[in-house]
Amino acid sequence: MRSEQIHPDTPRIGAVELSRALGQELPPTPEQVRVIEAELEPLLVVAGAGSGKTETMAARVVYLIANGLVRPDQVLGLTFTRKASAQLLQRIRRRLAALVKSSVIEAVTREQILAAEPEVWTYHAFGGRLIAEFGALVGVEPTARILSDTGSWQLASSVVRRWDRDLATDLSPDRVTERLLSMSGVLADHLRLPGELDELTADLAEQIRLSPPGPHQSKPIHSGLAALYQRLTNRAGILPLVDAFRQAKRTAGVLDFGDQMQLAAELARGHRRVGMDLRDRHRVVLLDEYQDTGHSQRVILATLFGANSHTAGHPV
């Protein structure tokens, strides 16, 4: 990671001054100024709904660019939905356009803004980008197609309907397909294999089956545990289909969203140069709605941009 620091004596454009120069009606609040002008180091910002998070993130990006701390193409923004990513990128573009027309930046900064812009993705799209760029390191073909929700359902349903072994479940084919997709997605998000869940399921079902009977219990399974036992039985019956679904995707040369995140996590954890490349490329990373990310997404981000034995924490 390159270390490029602004000299302490170098004049900076403050967040409030920059806001005025861009013709904004309302200057940032003192709380927003603290975030916008924060040093290039890891920072957690806790803010509720309606507190101006998107506004502050956009202002932070423009502040860093205006002061020459980063180039536009060195900024990476990740958020949860396509709508949110589009809104953030739109605000950044609008402010950078105003910044280009202003007199508060140097010519070199103006040229940088005109030449490139920050990258803003959803968390899922970022995982897909990792696979597209580095997937060969984990055996993913560049031609691998990403399944839509409908495509995933159709493939999973075909696996269920072609299954020629006994299914130890009383669920309908559509319900089995629904559970299959759910289990497949949860396992991928938690970076676990079907065999691990099968073992835990069998252990828990056995504990329920062997639990001492209650004083008025007439059936083998206590009534308070019967529903859980049935869910575990259904899960055990469906788990072999998860492996079959994984094989069907490999045969068809396709991936679903869960596969993308699982493989991206494998990339991040198993290939150090991927993190080195991305930290060098993205000098600043903004993570929106981080509390809503899944386990695999957190593993990816922490491995790529977090502190470890090789590097200090990145400006996230």
Side-chain angles (χ1 to χ4, degrees), residues 146-156 181 256-257:
I146 305 302
L147 286 172
S148 64
D149 289 343
T150 301
S152 292
W153 176 275
Q154 290 172 340
L155 184 58
L181 287 170
D256 60 18
F257 288 134

Side-chain angles (χ1 to χ4, degrees), residues 122-314:
T122 65
Y123 290 106
H124 260 130
F126 179 66
R129 182 192 126 187
L130 290 179
I131 297 301
E133 189 170 350
F134 302 103
L137 296 174
V138 288
V140 178
E141 296 294 332
T143 55
R145 182 170 56 88
I146 305 302
L147 286 172
S148 64
D149 289 343
T150 301
S152 292
W153 176 275
Q154 290 172 340
L155 184 58
S157 180
S158 70
V159 168
V160 171
R161 295 180 188 281
R162 288 200 307 264
W163 189 254
D164 57 2
R165 282 177 270 165
D166 183 41
L167 277 180
T169 175
D170 57 359
L171 299 173
S172 68
D174 281 350
R175 290 283 286 166
V176 170
T177 301
E178 182 183 304
R179 296 281 181 89
L180 164 59
L181 287 170
S182 176
M183 274 193 275
S184 178
V186 169
L187 284 166
D189 180 53
H190 286 82
L191 309 178
R192 297 295 185 179
L193 296 172
E196 295 177 273
L197 181 57
D198 188 37
E199 184 178 340
L200 289 170
T201 300
D203 287 346
L204 182 53
E206 183 71 358
Q207 289 183 48
I208 292 175
R209 193 178 65 80
L210 298 178
S211 61
H216 305 293
Q217 183 177 327
S218 58
K219 295 182 179 180
I221 304 297
H222 190 283
S223 59
L225 297 173
L228 173 58
Y229 187 78
Q230 185 60 50
R231 286 199 298 274
L232 293 171
T233 300
N234 287 332
R235 179 191 294 172
I238 295 170
L239 269 169
L241 290 168
V242 176
D243 268 326
F245 181 49
R246 286 158 61 97
Q247 182 57 50
K249 286 184 288 185
R250 282 195 293 268
T251 300
V254 297
L255 302 171
D256 60 18
F257 288 134
D259 297 327
Q260 277 189 307
M261 294 300 106
Q262 192 169 27
L263 289 166
E266 185 180 334
L267 266 172
R269 294 195 296 190
H271 299 273
R272 184 181 157 209
R273 77 174 182 85
V274 175
M276 293 171 65
D277 186 310
L278 291 171
R279 286 191 296 274
D280 190 56
R281 191 184 311 176
H282 302 299
R283 293 285 314 283
V284 173
V285 181
L286 295 94
L287 306 179
D288 186 29
E289 303 290 358
Y290 181 74
Q291 74 281 355
D292 291 332
T293 54
H295 175 71
S296 60
Q297 292 168 335
R298 290 192 293 273
V299 167
I300 293 165
L301 297 168
T303 306
L304 293 177
F305 302 118
N308 54 48
S309 59
H310 306 294
T311 179
H314 202 64

Side-chain angles (χ1 to χ4, degrees), residues 12-204:
R12 288 195 180 188
I13 308 163
V16 174
E17 179 189 353
L18 184 58
S19 171
R20 293 196 188 103
L22 298 182
Q24 294 177 257
E25 294 183 6
L26 296 175
T29 66
E31 291 84 359
Q32 288 174 316
V33 169
R34 287 177 59 200
V35 177
I36 296 166
E37 296 183 352
E39 296 297 319
L40 284 175
E41 58 189 15
L43 176 69
L44 171 66
V45 179
V46 181
S51 56
K53 295 192 295 275
T54 305
E55 178 74 13
T56 305
M57 284 190 293
R60 165 75 166 163
V61 171
V62 176
Y63 169 84
L64 294 173
I65 293 170
N67 281 284
L69 294 169
V70 294
R71 299 192 313 267
D73 59 325
Q74 291 177 320
V75 177
L76 172 66
L78 299 179
T79 189
F80 213 73
T81 65
R82 293 178 189 173
K83 180 181 179 181
S85 64
Q87 288 176 340
L88 176 58
L89 185 56
Q90 184 181 44
R91 290 197 192 203
I92 292 172
R93 282 173 172 165
R94 190 163 54 235
R95 289 194 182 196
L96 289 178
L99 184 62
V100 166
K101 297 175 183 177
S102 73
S103 59
V104 297
I105 57 173
E106 298 177 357
V108 64
T109 303
R110 186 173 289 107
E111 291 172 4
Q112 290 173 352
I113 295 171
L114 293 172
E117 67 177 7
E119 292 186 29
V120 180
W121 305 77
T122 65
Y123 290 106
H124 260 130
F126 179 66
R129 182 192 126 187
L130 290 179
I131 297 301
E133 189 170 350
F134 302 103
L137 296 174
V138 288
V140 178
E141 296 294 332
T143 55
R145 182 170 56 88
I146 305 302
L147 286 172
S148 64
D149 289 343
T150 301
S152 292
W153 176 275
Q154 290 172 340
L155 184 58
S157 180
S158 70
V159 168
V160 171
R161 295 180 188 281
R162 288 200 307 264
W163 189 254
D164 57 2
R165 282 177 270 165
D166 183 41
L167 277 180
T169 175
D170 57 359
L171 299 173
S172 68
D174 281 350
R175 290 283 286 166
V176 170
T177 301
E178 182 183 304
R179 296 281 181 89
L180 164 59
L181 287 170
S182 176
M183 274 193 275
S184 178
V186 169
L187 284 166
D189 180 53
H190 286 82
L191 309 178
R192 297 295 185 179
L193 296 172
E196 295 177 273
L197 181 57
D198 188 37
E199 184 178 340
L200 289 170
T201 300
D203 287 346
L204 182 53

